Amino acid sequence: MPSSLASRPIGVFDSGIGGLTVTRALMERLPFEDIVYFGDTARVPYGVKSIATIEQFGQQIVDFMLQQEVKLLVIACNTIAAVAANKLRERVSVPVLDVIGAGAANAVAASRNGAIGVIATPTTVNSNAYARGVHALRADARVFSQACPLLVPLVEEGWLDHPVTRMTVQEYLKPVLAEGIDTLILGCTHYPLLKPLLAQEVGNAIKLVDSAVSVAEQVAATLADLELATPSRDEADYRYYVTDIPLRFQTTGERFLGRSLRHLEMVHL
Ligand code: DGL
């Protein structure tokens, strides 16, 4: 019999819709787990906001998530994880995993020459959080980060294989590729959707580290360690909470999630 704690949902939160890529990775890796998703769609994007604002918003979100009685929290948003993860962890007693810790660990495992590239939002890059995560595991690693502010809107537009996106990616990657990296961290919720295009641009010699897949692996390992995994069953329950339902939300959300998006509710924090 699962403990009552084990039967609780996993909480996943993001600044908006992008964290649905992390939710998708979790659904694929842990199909029996219930998931509660929160996206702050009224206040997105966070990637260009100040640390103080992101911390404040993050605290409001965590308080909401705790009311949902989750057994584990996943910070799906790289920007929130980069600047507020420690503060948010102080507020809760359930385990809190985040895309940055998981992505950095996978990148260190994947890299042979220790030259690791990171692409992310400006706030994530300025925080140096991925570099710190990498250096904590491999002190002699060299980390080259590039802010890519134009990629979030291009992905939300659905331009996943579009000449404008390709040119933008080429421009952003130029300085990072010049450093001889053998591993590239996709340090933003939106970038897993660009994986095919990015793979073409960087070539076979460079490994792409998807932080969404990385954190899903960590969640699976943590639930197993703590004996909190939900046993096999027919289907899991998914609920989505957002602070606004903007135009085309359903279409864009389903593209990120890779399946239909039902049980959507609007809430105010
Ligand atoms: N979710 C954000 C991230 O992963 C991207 C969108 C935003 O800027 O809020 O960094």
Side-chain angles (χ1 to χ4, degrees):
M1 280 291 285
S3 69
S4 61
L5 201 56
S7 62
R8 291 184 182 184
I10 295 172
V12 182
F13 64 93
D14 180 49
S15 55
I17 209 167
L20 292 174
T21 57
V22 175
T23 307
R24 178 182 191 161
L26 282 164
M27 288 169 171
E28 283 165 11
R29 181 65 185 78
L30 294 161
F32 309 124
E33 298 295 339
D34 291 342
I35 296 177
V36 177
Y37 181 84
F38 178 90
D40 196 4
T41 43
R43 301 190 291 198
V44 72
Y46 282 18
V48 287
K49 289 189 167 65
S50 69
I51 295 177
T53 297
I54 296 165
E55 277 177 359
Q56 186 205 339
F57 290 177
Q59 286 169 7
Q60 293 169 348
I61 298 173
V62 165
D63 290 346
F64 173 82
M65 289 311 263
L66 293 179
Q67 287 164 20
Q68 311 308 310
E69 304 206 315
V70 294
K71 63 180 171 187
L72 179 146
L73 268 174
V74 179
I75 310 179
C77 179
N78 289 259
T79 304
I80 302 178
V83 301
N86 293 340
K87 278 249 165 73
L88 298 181
R89 280 196 174 92
E90 286 168 10
R91 291 176 90 78
V92 300
S93 54
V94 296
V96 181
L97 299 180
D98 72 82
V99 276
I100 295 201
N106 264 5
V108 169
S111 176
R112 270 164 294 122
N113 70 4
I116 296 171
V118 181
I119 51 174
T121 63
T123 301
T124 300
V125 167
N126 289 340
S127 76
N128 239 3
Y130 269 110
R132 278 200 307 277
V134 166
H135 286 137
L137 299 168
R138 179 168 173 178
D140 70 340
R142 289 170 302 128
V143 180
F144 305 97
S145 305
Q146 175 65 48
C148 306
L150 294 175
L151 295 187
V152 164
L154 288 169
V155 170
E156 291 198 2
E157 192 59 32
W159 289 10
L160 306 182
D161 184 23
H162 189 287
V164 169
T165 311
R166 192 172 295 278
M167 273 179 63
T168 309
V169 161
Q170 285 167 351
E171 201 59 33
Y172 282 143
L173 285 182
K174 225 181 267 173
V176 181
L177 295 180
E179 301 291 349
I181 59 163
D182 70 353
T183 304
L184 179 68
I185 301 176
L186 313 190
C188 173
T189 46
H190 290 53
Y191 303 169
L193 281 102
L194 291 176
K195 243 196 261 179
L197 186 149
L198 287 166
Q200 285 166 10
E201 290 306 319
V202 302
N204 291 335
I206 297 179
K207 288 180 219 94
L208 298 181
V209 171
D210 178 338
S211 294
V213 172
S214 307
V215 80
E217 272 310 320
Q218 272 199 354
V219 172
T222 305
L223 291 181
D225 279 355
L226 301 175
E227 298 185 359
L228 283 181
T230 305
S232 147
R233 57 182 171 153
D234 283 345
E235 61 181 37
D237 180 55
Y238 304 129
R239 281 179 289 143
Y240 306 90
Y241 295 99
V242 290
T243 44
D244 188 23
I245 303 185
L247 217 62
R248 294 187 296 164
F249 178 85
Q250 195 80 20
T251 332
T252 315
E254 290 181 353
R255 190 185 314 124
F256 276 69
L257 196 59
R259 66 173 79 194
S260 62
L261 203 161
R262 278 171 276 145
H263 309 297
L264 174 69
E265 204 179 303
M266 207 171 108
V267 290
H268 296 288
L269 293 183

